[in-house]
Amino acid sequence: MSASEEVWILGINMTKFGKHPDLDAVDLAANAVIAALADGGVTMADIGVVAAGNLLGGGAASGQNILKQVGQTGVPIYNVSNACATGATAIRTVVMAIRAGEVDMGLAIGVEKLSGVGLLGAQGNTGSGAWEAKGRYGAVGPIDGRIGTAAMPGVFAQVGMEYLHAYGQTDVSVFAKISEKNHQHSTLNPLAAYSKAMTYDQIVNDVMISYPNTRSMCSANCDGAAAAVLVSGSKLKTLSLEQKRRAVKISASVLTSDPYQEASQVLPDVNTLTKNAAKIAYEQAGVGPQDLDLVELHDCFATAELVHYDNLGLCAPGDAVAFFESGAPWRNGSTPVNVSGGLQSKGHPISATGIANVWEICHHLRGEAGDRQIEGAKVGLAHVIGLGSACGVHVLEK
Amino acid sequence: MTNTAEMKQVPFVGYLKLTPGDPHLVAHECRACGARFFDRRNLCARCFAANFDEVRVATQGTLRSFTIVSFAGPGVDVPFVAGLIDCDGTTVRGNIINCAPTADAVTLGMPVQLATYSVGVDQNGVEAINYGFEPVQQESAQ
């Protein structure tokens, strides 16, 4: 990092992702917070700032309401909202507070209740009456389905198809193969919402949602929470040997938005801001993509994972299909990607995702990942994209 | 309700111009840098300039990306093909129409052209006309 103060992860936790009918969002968040504090060997009394994210709870799971259950200390709380990058934004907010020197310890929280929620982004096409021009496009009726699609599976399908077209490829089978990898990886993750292997044939023959994305190639809507306790390097020096031993260094913490590009207001651009974030992150951390022992990237759809191989520099420009076909992103490959099972199988409780990805990396760097441990992992990268767009990249080192 | 008067038509979106015999799209083009936008503007997203000219967008293009939507929000008829069309350097969002919604019929890079269709008639007897893009017939593509 460019600032002199280092920031470390002292404690971190994710809940089991899946269906939690008996727990509300505050319960889920509280469980993650309590476990993250215990993991770091600290209490709410040590926390100087909180950043909390929850998109679909309508304010019920604000940071304030979570603290009312775990410790109402009166510290400043930033309720953050950045689409699917909300969790990473919460971490980034705490990192900035620590680097600014205002606090030496802070808490980032992300939680979502998403089980049973349907298609995200879809606006539908109901209602009528009189044609009356409204909004920034002067549309006389709802445009979803009449001028392209607003639903996420179709938006991200186009992202992947655009990549194939840009590099003169037509074979869409790579997308289902990516999904096959992530579902296979999830079999080793007890916290994944789905931990069942699926064959290529099962995946391509599943219910079609938005070609080429079938249901099993889409991220799983589920419930879940994650929380992280961050500490300054100077404060960490005063803590116990055990706390120092398990602390994970945040070598880079980056948040970008989508800069203007031709077409970026027609189809959300998830590429340029990821490339920009990756470049800054590698510079901050002083590591390159070849140094990464594992990567958790934002595979909200199989079509998204492909483009981020390229955007994060895991392969040469245009080589994402060849990179996948080489076996590199499988857990026994040269750059394991989404060994957690990814959003397609581990699940995607939106605001929790950007912290859960960091948890996964920390778990491996601490050597605590059990059956799915990537042996000797020293450096990892966690990436999320929020459509609209926001990109969070964190590089973690042990 | 019977409607004896000549039916009034409105474009489905403000950037569609229903010029008789020549329907086409228009964009707001930044006078300073040439960036094009389809929505109502405050400033240019690229260079922050304030002045725009309304310019015609090419009605022919190539399919830069697409998806076939089989599952959508309430009231949206499926399946349909949503695409991105490169119209001579300006990327346009639209549906691919007058074409089977199958991966055999729709291919990346295929030539397409603007076409219009009726979305329906409202309670006041006004008909909304929308645009889509249809495959260019093989003969004319060559």
Side-chain angles (χ1 to χ4, degrees), chain B residues 24-46:
Chain B
H24 61 276
L25 303 180
V26 293
H28 298 126
E29 184 177 87
C30 174
R31 204 171 286 167
C33 79
R36 290 181 169 189
F37 306 93
F38 292 102
D39 61 347
R40 177 163 59 79
R41 298 305 303 173
N42 296 85
L43 294 179
C44 175
R46 184 191 198 180

Side-chain angles (χ1 to χ4, degrees), chain A residues 16-17 182-198 340-341 344-347:
Chain A
K16 160 96 175 138
F17 282 5
N182 291 353
H183 287 291
Q184 180 64 43
H185 283 170
S186 77
T187 61
L188 298 173
N189 186 355
L191 297 185
Y194 299 94
S195 47
K196 230 175 43 178
M198 294 187 76
S340 66
Q344 291 166 66
S345 206
K346 177 180 72 176

Side-chain angles (χ1 to χ4, degrees), chain B residues 96-127:
Chain B
I96 303 304
I97 61 174
N98 304 331
C99 174
T102 65
D104 292 331
V106 185
T107 53
L108 289 169
M110 77 177 188
V112 293
Q113 63 193 10
L114 187 101
T116 59
Y117 67 97
S118 173
V119 179
V121 178
D122 73 6
Q123 62 199 16
N124 303 320
V126 177
E127 183 180 35

Side-chain angles (χ1 to χ4, degrees), chain A residues 119 122-126 128-132 135-151 153-155 157-166 169-170 207-213 260 262-263 265-268, chain B residues 10-15 35-42 45-46 62-76 80 82-84 89-95 103 108-109 117 119-124 126-128 130-131:
Chain A
L119 207 53
Q123 293 156 359
N125 200 352
T126 53
S128 183
W131 301 126
E132 187 189 346
R136 289 197 163 261
Y137 293 94
V140 302
I143 65 170
D144 187 14
R146 288 172 171 150
I147 300 176
T149 178
V155 169
Q158 291 175 87
V159 166
M161 295 293 277
E162 181 183 41
Y163 185 88
L164 290 188
H165 181 53
Q169 307 195 35
T170 53
V207 178
M208 180 58 73
I209 304 294
S210 207
Y211 175 89
N213 287 324
Y260 172 83
E262 199 284 318
Q265 295 194 12
V266 175
L267 180 75
Chain B
V10 292
F12 192 72
V13 284
Y15 60 91
R36 290 181 169 189
F37 306 93
F38 292 102
D39 61 347
R40 177 163 59 79
R41 298 305 303 173
N42 296 85
R46 184 191 198 180
T62 55
L63 189 59
R64 171 175 161 168
S65 185
F66 73 94
T67 180
I68 305 165
V69 179
S70 302
F71 198 83
V76 176
F80 70 93
L84 286 187
T90 301
T91 303
V92 179
R93 172 176 157 167
N95 288 8
L108 289 169
Y117 67 97
V119 179
V121 178
D122 73 6
Q123 62 199 16
N124 303 320
V126 177
E127 183 180 35
N130 193 17
Y131 73 91

Side-chain angles (χ1 to χ4, degrees), chain A residues 245-386:
Chain A
R245 186 185 68 75
R246 291 183 70 254
V248 173
K249 185 179 163 190
I250 301 178
S251 301
S253 174
V254 183
L255 189 71
T256 56
S257 68
D258 50 332
Y260 172 83
Q261 295 281 303
E262 199 284 318
S264 63
Q265 295 194 12
V266 175
L267 180 75
D269 176 17
V270 300
N271 300 316
T272 315
L273 79 170
T274 297
K275 289 176 184 165
N276 289 351
K279 181 169 181 286
I280 298 166
Y282 292 137
E283 283 170 8
Q284 278 185 8
V287 304
Q290 70 285 351
D291 300 317
L292 301 173
D293 296 309
L294 75 161
V295 172
E296 288 286 306
L297 62 75
H298 203 74
D299 65 319
C300 49
F301 298 89
T303 45
E305 177 158 328
L306 183 79
V307 303
H308 295 314
Y309 296 152
D310 196 322
N311 293 331
L312 293 172
L314 307 185
C315 63
D319 278 357
V321 174
F323 173 78
F324 178 80
E325 298 290 356
S326 77
W330 282 82
R331 55 172 288 112
N332 58 356
S334 55
T335 311
V337 174
N338 291 335
V339 297
S340 66
L343 280 53
Q344 291 166 66
S345 206
K346 177 180 72 176
H348 183 25
I350 306 175
S351 295
T353 293
I355 301 175
N357 289 357
V358 170
W359 176 86
E360 180 71 21
I361 303 286
C362 289
H363 217 44
H364 290 269
L365 299 188
R366 287 165 157 184
E368 297 173 355
D371 289 344
R372 71 178 185 289
Q373 176 70 39
I374 298 297
E375 285 306 323
K378 299 277 184 231
V379 188
L381 181 148
H383 159 260
V384 286
I385 277 280

